[in-house]
Amino acid sequence: MRPAKVLISFSKFSDSELDQNAQAVVTAMTGNGNFSTPVPALTVLSDAISSYQEAMSNAAKGDHTAVSIKDEQRTELESILRALGLYVGIQSGGET
């Protein structure tokens, strides 16, 4: 069986899949002693999720400016998730 791989690319995820994945990361890492001091902090991720969710809601109305803001928030969220993925990879010695 192949070991689990830490995701650091999220471009193939739909907006809702990215949101769900990000929330799952917060749930999995909260209180996890193996990752007690994540970089960036989980509060940073949680704030980015909230901003992204708000931007998705606003973008659903179809306004071009709102869609651009949502895309910017997505890029920020992906960046935070990528950094956390690298942190997990380093902390686990490549074993997740």
Side-chain angles (χ1 to χ4, degrees):
M1 184 171 170
R2 282 175 43 172
K5 209 173 177 186
V6 176
L7 290 178
I8 57 170
S9 177
F10 306 92
S11 60
K12 294 184 180 184
F13 287 12
S14 69
D15 288 337
S16 62
E17 288 171 334
L18 179 64
D19 179 41
Q20 292 170 359
N21 183 274
Q23 291 180 54
V25 168
V26 171
T27 300
M29 291 187 72
T30 298
N32 186 329
N34 295 315
F35 309 110
S36 57
T37 56
V39 177
L42 294 181
T43 54
V44 172
L45 176 57
S46 294
D47 290 346
I49 292 169
S50 295
S51 295
Y52 183 58
Q53 290 170 334
E54 181 179 346
M56 282 194 306
S57 177
N58 292 337
K61 299 168 187 155
D63 177 67
H64 293 288
T65 302
V67 171
S68 293
I69 292 169
K70 187 261 308 171
D71 291 343
E72 291 171 9
Q73 292 298 319
R74 180 184 174 107
T75 299
E76 178 66 19
L77 181 57
E78 286 180 11
S79 176
I80 292 167
L81 287 168
R82 189 174 304 107
L84 278 171
L86 294 172
Y87 164 82
V88 167
I90 290 168
Q91 290 299 110
S92 66
E95 302 207 8
T96 55

